[in-house]
């Protein structure tokens, strides 16, 4: 059994080698112009379109994956940038609490409420593209290797068909010559044979010629059938594949554009919130600058204006400056005007202190009257330390 198996394998190998040699010989003959080649201009155009389509699809798939990698990188750098902004935002700047809230909101709003896992918007954006655009391109491109292999097979079978056709044509010409020879005087072998055997020799030559001719005709029929079947299938399939590219491109870019639109729409809201806070911070800076210029122009420098040169009230902690106007709404509250300096005092009973409120006395009032009874409470976020 093992010997038989080796024989079959060796036989197949010999046939394969013989086919390759025959095809190579046929190609050389065609290039030298000694054998005609089957041409199909329409099919060659289909193959050119196929190669173009496969190249475009492969490039689009590669660029989609590069885009996904860029989205992931952008997500990571955006997160680091937000963390950096939150870390460097100083406590006395306008909207510190709002700033923290916005950064936190930028994290929270990035969560996709439509997903049970509440993944971030960036991750959701990345995942949506991964789930929709990339798989459709992968599926689209899986068709090409199989069709490419069939085109190559069709080219090989066309060479086999041309070779069989040329072999059959040469036998046809040889048969006519043999028939002419048979009609002429007998050859040396026939002349040497008895007269009764000369007819048998002639009949044998005719039979051998007919056998080779019939075998060549059958081989030509088989080669033609295989080639035409492959050719017809590809002629039906290639135009359909070529037309399908438009739908694939439309679906891919429509899906991508839809995900981009939703993502950037949500992110634009968060970006606008951040821009509003930066605008208010700039307004605060300008107000402080104007207040400082105004105070320098209207208040001459005097020893009494320096806290180190006058007696500080009992319980003094630090000094603040008003950056917003505040109208007192109760008798125990302090009226504030932008630029006012306030001496912050410790509250006798800290448990009674409300969050975000301080106790203090106007510096100018204290210097003038030394009266601690003029103290009052005021909102801390309307002032900043000096």
């Amino acid at each position: 059994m093992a010997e038989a198996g080796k024989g079959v394998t060796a036989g197949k190998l010999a046939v394969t080698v013989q086919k390759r040699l025959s095809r190579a010989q046929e190609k050389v003959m065609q290039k030298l112009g000694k054998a005609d080649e089957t041409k199909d201009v329409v099919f060659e155009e289909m193959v050119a379109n196929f190669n173009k389509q496969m190249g475009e699809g492969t490039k689009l798939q590669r660029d989609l994956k590069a885009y996904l990698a860029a989205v992931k990188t952008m997500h990571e750098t955006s997160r680091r940038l937000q963390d950096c902004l939150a870390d460097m935002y100083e406590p006395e700047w306008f909207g510190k609490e709002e700033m923290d809230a916005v950064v936190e909101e930028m994290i929270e709003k990035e969560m996709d409420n439509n997903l049970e896992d509440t993944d971030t918007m960036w991750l959701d954006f990345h995942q949506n593209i991964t789930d929709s655009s990339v798989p459709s391109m992968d599926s689209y491109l899986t068709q090409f290797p199989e069709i490419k292999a069939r085109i190559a097979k069709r080219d090989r079978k066309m060479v086999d068909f041309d070779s069989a056709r040329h072999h059959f044509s040469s036998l046809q010409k040889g048969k006519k010559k043999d028939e002419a020879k048979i009609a002429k005087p007998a050859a040396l072998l026939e002349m040497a044979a008895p007269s009764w055997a000369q007819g048998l020799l002639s009949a044998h030559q005719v039979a051998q010629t007919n056998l080779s001719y019939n075998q060549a005709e059958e081989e030509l029929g088989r080669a033609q059938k295989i080639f035409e079947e492959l050719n017809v299938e590809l002629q039906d399939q290639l135009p359909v594949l070529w037309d399908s590219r438009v739908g694939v491109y439309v679906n891919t870019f429509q899906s991508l554009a839809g995900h981009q639109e939703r993502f950037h729409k949500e992110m634009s809201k968060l970006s606008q919130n951040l821009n509003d806070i930066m605008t208010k911070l700039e307004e605060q800076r300008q107000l402080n600058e104007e207040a400082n210029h105004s105070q320098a122009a209207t208040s001459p420098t005097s020893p009494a204006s320096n806290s180190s040169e006058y007696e500080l009230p009992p319980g003094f902690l630090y000094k603040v400056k008003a950056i917003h106007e505040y109208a007192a709404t109760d008798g125990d509250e302090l009226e504030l005007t932008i630029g006012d300096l306030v001496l912050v005092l410790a509250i006798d009973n800290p448990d009674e202190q409300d969050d975000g409120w301080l106790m203090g006395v106007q510096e100018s009032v204290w210097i003038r009257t030394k009266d601690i009874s003029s103290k009052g409470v005021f909102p801390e976020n309307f002032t900043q330390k000096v």
Side-chain angles (χ1 to χ4, degrees), residues 78-86 103 106-107 110 267:
S78 177
R79 174 58 59 84
R80 288 198 295 269
L81 190 62
Q82 293 169 15
D83 292 343
C84 178
L85 177 59
V103 173
M106 290 182 79
I107 297 173
E110 283 180 327
M267 289 301 293

Side-chain angles (χ1 to χ4, degrees), residues 58-77:
T58 302
K59 183 178 184 301
L60 177 56
Q61 183 191 46
R62 183 174 61 251
D63 291 344
L64 264 178
K65 292 181 177 179
Y67 180 81
L68 278 172
V71 168
K72 187 174 182 180
T73 301
M74 186 63 185
H75 175 207
E76 294 170 354
T77 54

Side-chain angles (χ1 to χ4, degrees), residues 237-250:
Q237 193 172 12
L238 288 176
V240 175
L241 180 63
W242 174 250
D243 292 339
S244 70
R245 74 194 191 286
V246 178
V248 172
Y249 299 159
V250 168

Side-chain angles (χ1 to χ4, degrees), residues 325-330 333-336 382:
E325 293 187 358
Y326 179 71
T329 59
D330 204 345
E333 294 181 0
L334 205 62
E335 192 92 12
L336 295 178
F382 275 57

Side-chain angles (χ1 to χ4, degrees), residues 213-252:
Y213 181 83
N214 291 337
Q215 288 175 342
E217 187 175 21
E218 290 177 2
E219 182 61 29
L220 174 61
R222 284 195 299 270
Q224 183 177 4
K225 181 181 178 182
I226 294 173
F227 167 70
E228 289 181 348
E229 286 177 353
L230 279 171
N231 196 51
V232 169
E233 288 177 4
L234 288 170
Q235 284 181 339
D236 291 340
Q237 193 172 12
L238 288 176
V240 175
L241 180 63
W242 174 250
D243 292 339
S244 70
R245 74 194 191 286
V246 178
V248 172
Y249 299 159
V250 168
N251 291 336
T252 299

